[in-house]
């Protein structure tokens, strides 16, 4: 150690050494103090730990119990001040059956096309979730004294998805397209209807004579004049509008996706319509997947490609699908009947038809169906009229046998015969488990109970080679036809049971060839009066005659089994469906998200 100039500084060195010794002495002193305190307060008292361990453990357990009780109390009473509530946003995906060749609602024929039309296009009127008509685009209606003019006022500030105003001109333009035979729309019957603009926001329909169900015809989708007015009617189906439409419903078009040509699967991607006149839907997006087969829809559920479908029967699904999804069944305003061809040589006699009716246990038949069914008791649904409707003959096999015996049809060699002729029936059913089960059940009953010979023929309505329309329906090529009739939202069933040539010829819908003058008068009277009381009297008379002549055998009301994820909010519990697409009646309230929120006082 040196100072400046190189001379050593011994005094400084001695001072530093003394300081280090002092530091060591202090450290030793602190160390001794720590050891002394540790011995005094810890090690010297370890032998006492066993004496207080019970108290320590007891306090620890009590503390844990208090914490658990607090947590349990919060969980138990959480429901008192919070609830799970649907939240806006998210994407809903649904699988439907059928081709998706066009998004133009005027040509919608398949389930997929009709579903897309209901989601994207508004109408003057629609069915609500109670099965009743309500104004959609229409705000009010006025009907003249003779009930032949209907003047409708549109709601204010209606808009298309491209921002253009939706007006009376669009309504008139759409009706004229429906009337034009060159268009080839899926909805007909408009040729005799006149329509005119009576004010900026009112349109008047003029019909040739009083027609009580007319309001139900105003559920056609309206299309935009400003987009289609320069398109030739004959080329409308092929126009780009069918692939990228301008819409007015709760959802607007975003994208049409095609998987591949082989599978034929397509998906319509839609987004919420902010300008929708009933308010923007809670969902951000809706995706509608169109599948070519029921197996493909099941696959879509299994892989979680879709959240829901109205097309399948829940009981037939694999267990893994049942565990993932829940189901609710909804009756529709349709009826499945065994239609008796009254021109058939054997079935011309009402007694033979009554015997066929009385031999069948309808309750047992319905239990054999692959899906839930509703009760069907006649040609008119009870909710459509105030009338007390006649019910079908009750099951009485012995009475049925006596009717056949009285007509000369006796049992010989195990087969019922009349002379050399056997009691032989041809039962035709469309392909599909629900119809086939009914046909086979009836055939089994008539063979076993009545000793009739019954041949069941299953036809595929989707097979162009079979051409069911021309080979079966138009020529009435059957004795008994298992068929589903669309009964709609009104008691008018004129098209199915009136004996006019228009209804009984090849283009008509009176497949049973039903012919009864009193029934004809009642059907005409029922559609010619708007008074519900007067209509009820007419339909009560018709139903009585229909049942007395055993015109056909009512089997059941079909249901839509809506299969969906438990977490989504979709079709409400008590919804009544006039048609399957009416499941979308309150689609603006559907959600896919839920969150816990505090209840308001």
């Amino acid at each position: 150690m040196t100072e400046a100039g190189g001379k050593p500084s011994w005094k400084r060195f001695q001072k530093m050494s003394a300081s280090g010794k002092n530091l060591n002495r202090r450290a030793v002193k602190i160390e001794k103090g720590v050891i002394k305190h540790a011995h005094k307060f810890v090690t010297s008292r370890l032998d006492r730990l066993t004496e207080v361990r019970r108290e320590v453990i007891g306090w620890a357990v009590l503390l844990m119990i208090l914490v658990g009780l607090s947590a349990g109390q919060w969980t138990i009473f959480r429901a008192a001040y919070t609830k799970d509530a649907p939240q806006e946003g998210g994407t809903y995906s649904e699988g439907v059956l059928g081709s998706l060749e066009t998004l133009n609602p005027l040509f919608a024929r398949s389930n997929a096309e009709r579903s897309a039309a209901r989601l994207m296009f508004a109408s003057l009127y629609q069915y609500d979730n109670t099965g009743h008509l309500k104004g959609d685009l229409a705000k009010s209606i006025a009907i003249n004294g003779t009930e032949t003019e209907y003047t409708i006022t549109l709601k204010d500030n209606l808009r298309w998805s491209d921002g253009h105003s939706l007006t009376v001109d669009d309504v008139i333009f759409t009706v004229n397209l429906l009337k034009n035979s060159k268009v080839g729309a899926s909805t007909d019957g408009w040729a005799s209807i006149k329509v005119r603009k009576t004010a900026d926001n009112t349109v008047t329909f003029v019909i040739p004579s009083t027609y009580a169900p007319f309001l139900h015809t105003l559920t056609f989708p309206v299309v935009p004049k400003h987009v289609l007015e320069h398109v030739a009617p004959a080329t409308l189906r092929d126009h780009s509008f069918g692939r990228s439409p301008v819409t007015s419903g709760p959802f607007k078009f975003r994208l049409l996706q095609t998987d591949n040509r082989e599978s034929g699967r397509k998906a319509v991607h839609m987004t919420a319509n902010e300008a929708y006149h009933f308010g923007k839907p809670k969902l951000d997006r809706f995706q509608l997947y169109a599948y070519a087969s029921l197996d493909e829809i099941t696959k879509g559920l299994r892989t979680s490609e879709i959240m829901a479908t109205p097309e399948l029967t829940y009981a037939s699904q694999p267990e893994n699908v049942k565990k993932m999804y829940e189901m609710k069944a909804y009756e529709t305003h349709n009826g499945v009947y065994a239609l008796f061809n009254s021109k058939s040589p054997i079935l011309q006699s009402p007694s033979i038809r009554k015997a066929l009716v009385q031999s069948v246990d309808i309750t047992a038949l319905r239990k054999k169906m692959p899906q839930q069914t509703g009760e069907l008791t006649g040609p008119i649904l009870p909710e459509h009229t105030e009338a007390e409707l006649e019910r079908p003959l009750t099951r009485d096999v012995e009475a049925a046998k006596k009717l056949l015996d009285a007509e000369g049809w006796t049992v010989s060699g195990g087969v019922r015969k009349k002379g050399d002729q056997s009691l032989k029936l041809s039962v035709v059913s469309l392909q599909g488990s629900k119809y086939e089960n009914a046909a086979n059940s009836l055939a089994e009953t008539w063979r076993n109970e009545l000793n009739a010979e019954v041949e069941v023929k299953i036809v595929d309505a989707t097979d162009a080679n079979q051409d069911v329309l021309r080979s079966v329906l138009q020529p009435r090529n059957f004795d008994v036809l298992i068929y589903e009739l669309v009964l709609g939202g009104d008691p008018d069933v004129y098209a199915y049971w009136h004996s006019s040539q228009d209804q009984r010829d090849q283009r008509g819908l009176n497949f049973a060839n039903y012919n009864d003058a009193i029934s004809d008068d009642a059907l005409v009277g029922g559609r010619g009066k708007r008074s519900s009381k007067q209509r009820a009297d007419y339909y009560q008379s018709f139903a009585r005659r229909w049942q007395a002549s055993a015109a056909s055998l009512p089997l059941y009301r079909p249901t839509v089994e809506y299969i969906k994820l438990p977490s989504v909010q979709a079709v409400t519990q008590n919804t009544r469906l006039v048609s399957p697409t009416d499941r979308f009646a309150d689609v603006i309230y559907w959600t896919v998200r839920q969150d816990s929120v505090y209840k308001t006082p």
Side-chain angles (χ1 to χ4, degrees):
M1 179 117 4
T2 60
E3 290 198 26
K7 294 181 179 181
S9 178
W10 296 106
K11 291 181 180 181
R12 185 178 179 187
F13 178 75
Q14 290 175 343
K15 288 180 180 180
M16 290 179 63
S17 297
S19 177
K21 291 177 181 180
N22 290 334
L23 186 62
N24 285 336
R25 283 195 297 269
R26 290 178 184 174
V28 171
K29 186 177 180 180
I30 292 173
E31 181 180 357
K32 289 179 178 179
V34 171
I35 293 174
K36 181 179 180 181
H37 279 77
H39 175 73
K40 180 178 180 181
F41 295 106
V42 181
T43 58
S44 65
R45 300 185 182 185
L46 286 176
D47 58 337
R48 299 184 187 177
L49 182 60
T50 56
E51 298 177 11
V52 299
R53 63 181 179 183
R54 290 183 180 179
E55 287 79 1
V56 172
I57 293 172
W59 280 106
V61 170
L62 180 59
L63 180 61
M64 287 189 288
I65 291 174
L66 291 174
V67 172
L69 288 174
S70 298
Q73 184 182 35
W74 183 86
T75 302
I76 292 171
F77 292 102
R78 174 177 176 268
Y81 51 85
T82 65
K83 64 178 180 179
D84 290 333
Q87 300 296 305
E88 295 186 7
T91 301
Y92 193 94
S93 55
E94 183 184 277
V96 287
L97 184 67
S99 62
L100 194 58
E101 301 301 323
T102 179
L103 297 178
N104 187 326
L106 300 184
F107 304 105
R109 287 182 169 84
S110 70
N111 290 356
E113 290 169 346
R114 287 191 288 265
S115 296
R118 183 65 189 267
L119 287 167
M120 292 194 290
F121 288 89
S123 305
L124 290 173
Y125 285 86
Q126 289 284 15
Y127 296 105
D128 62 18
N129 59 6
T130 68
H132 294 93
L133 275 181
K134 73 169 184 178
D136 188 1
L137 297 173
K139 179 170 67 174
S140 62
I141 186 169
I143 305 173
N144 71 348
T146 59
E147 300 176 3
T148 56
E149 292 189 6
Y150 292 72
T151 300
I152 294 173
T153 302
L154 296 189
K155 293 176 179 176
D156 299 328
N157 301 317
L158 299 173
R159 296 203 171 274
W160 293 100
S161 58
D162 62 358
H164 281 74
S165 295
L166 193 161
T167 69
V168 166
D169 295 331
D170 295 304
V171 176
I172 296 173
F173 175 75
T174 303
V175 173
N176 287 332
L177 289 178
L178 295 175
K179 295 173 65 173
N180 194 327
S181 60
K182 293 181 179 179
V183 173
S186 57
T187 302
D188 55 15
W190 285 89
S192 61
I193 309 299
K194 297 179 181 179
V195 57
R196 66 174 185 266
K197 183 176 181 178
T198 47
D200 287 343
N201 64 338
T202 62
V203 56
T204 297
F205 294 87
V206 182
I207 58 179
S209 58
T210 303
Y211 177 56
F214 180 71
L215 274 182
H216 295 269
T217 69
L218 300 181
T219 55
F220 62 87
V222 177
V223 296
K225 178 181 179 181
H226 70 279
V227 176
L228 300 173
E229 62 181 326
H230 299 300
V231 180
T235 65
L236 184 60
R237 185 181 182 87
D238 298 322
H239 190 264
S240 60
F241 180 81
R243 298 181 296 277
S244 179
V246 172
T247 67
S248 57
F251 293 90
K252 55 186 179 182
F253 175 80
R254 186 173 73 87
L255 174 68
L256 178 61
Q257 176 186 358
T258 302
D259 238 15
N260 56 64
R261 293 182 180 274
E262 293 181 3
S263 71
R265 194 198 71 155
K266 294 182 179 180
V268 186
H269 296 261
M270 295 164 273
T271 58
N273 183 3
E274 299 87 348
Y276 185 48
H277 47 278
F278 282 121
K280 179 181 177 293
K282 291 188 174 182
L283 294 169
D284 288 334
R285 293 169 295 278
F286 199 110
Q287 295 175 355
L288 190 71
Y289 289 84
Y291 296 93
S293 70
L294 296 178
D295 288 341
E296 287 295 315
I297 297 178
T298 297
K299 182 180 177 181
L301 289 175
R302 194 172 59 249
T303 60
S304 298
E305 181 176 56
I306 56 176
M307 296 177 174
T309 181
E311 304 287 5
L312 302 174
T313 56
Y314 188 74
S316 64
Q317 297 309 300
E319 287 303 317
N320 60 340
V321 170
K322 290 181 181 178
K323 290 179 181 178
M324 293 170 61
Y325 297 87
E326 63 182 14
M327 182 275 292
K328 169 67 178 173
Y330 301 89
E331 287 185 7
T332 63
H333 285 199
N334 291 359
V336 175
Y337 296 83
L339 300 174
F340 299 147
N341 185 354
S342 62
K343 282 191 175 181
S344 166
I346 291 177
L347 297 181
Q348 287 180 2
S349 168
S351 294
I352 306 299
R353 301 195 299 266
K354 288 179 183 179
L356 294 178
V357 170
Q358 285 191 285
S359 66
V360 177
D361 185 343
I362 291 296
T363 301
L365 180 145
R366 286 176 54 197
K367 289 180 179 178
K368 295 180 181 180
M369 295 298 103
Q371 65 188 105
Q372 296 184 35
T373 60
E375 183 183 32
L376 181 68
T377 57
I380 298 172
L381 299 180
E383 59 262 43
H384 284 167
T385 177
E386 301 171 0
E388 289 290 332
L389 299 173
E390 199 83 9
R391 295 178 67 88
L393 296 168
T394 57
R395 185 173 188 255
D396 189 336
V397 176
E398 293 306 314
K401 291 177 179 179
K402 290 178 181 179
L403 284 172
L404 294 178
D405 290 340
E407 289 284 310
W409 294 95
T410 58
V411 179
S412 175
V415 178
R416 208 170 270 278
K417 293 183 178 181
K418 188 175 185 178
D420 295 332
Q421 183 184 9
S422 298
L423 183 61
K424 188 173 183 179
L425 298 171
S426 169
V427 178
V428 177
S429 167
L430 296 183
Q431 190 174 59
S433 58
K434 55 186 179 180
Y435 304 128
E436 292 179 46
N437 283 15
N440 290 325
S441 179
L442 290 175
E444 181 181 5
T445 295
W446 292 334
R447 290 184 191 123
N448 296 339
E449 303 291 356
L450 303 180
N451 299 96
E453 293 183 9
V454 185
E455 175 191 16
V456 177
K457 181 181 179 182
I458 307 300
V459 294
D460 186 357
T462 64
D463 186 351
N465 294 325
Q466 294 191 36
D467 197 356
V468 174
L469 181 64
R470 294 187 180 183
S471 65
V472 177
L473 299 180
Q474 288 182 344
R476 312 300 196 249
N477 188 19
F478 54 84
D479 295 316
V480 181
L481 174 67
I482 310 302
Y483 200 73
E484 185 172 335
L485 300 181
V486 177
L487 302 179
D490 187 87
D492 179 50
V493 288
Y494 177 97
Y496 300 131
W497 305 110
H498 196 273
S499 67
S500 64
Q501 190 62 36
D502 287 345
Q503 306 309 321
R504 291 199 296 158
D505 68 12
Q506 292 192 350
R507 294 170 298 176
L509 298 177
N510 185 351
F511 299 123
N513 287 306
Y514 181 63
N515 187 356
D516 180 76
I518 295 177
S519 292
D520 285 349
D521 290 343
L523 289 170
V524 171
R527 61 169 24 188
K529 300 290 183 180
R530 290 194 69 250
S531 163
S532 58
K533 176 62 174 66
Q534 290 178 308
R535 298 189 80 194
D537 292 341
Y538 282 118
Y539 288 124
Q540 186 176 51
S541 173
F542 162 69
R544 186 181 300 118
R545 295 289 296 186
W546 190 91
Q547 299 284 18
S549 65
S552 290
L553 172 59
L555 299 178
Y556 60 87
R557 289 177 67 166
T559 61
V560 170
E561 292 191 354
Y562 199 74
I563 301 173
K564 69 176 185 68
L565 288 173
S567 59
V568 304
Q569 300 292 318
V571 190
T572 54
Q573 180 78 9
N574 298 318
T575 294
R576 302 187 66 88
L577 304 182
V578 176
S579 69
T581 57
D582 293 324
R583 65 188 183 275
F584 298 130
D586 55 2
V587 71
I588 62 172
Y589 303 113
W590 290 15
T591 60
V592 295
R593 297 175 178 174
Q594 285 193 349
D595 198 6
S596 179
V597 297
Y598 286 101
K599 294 180 179 179
T600 55

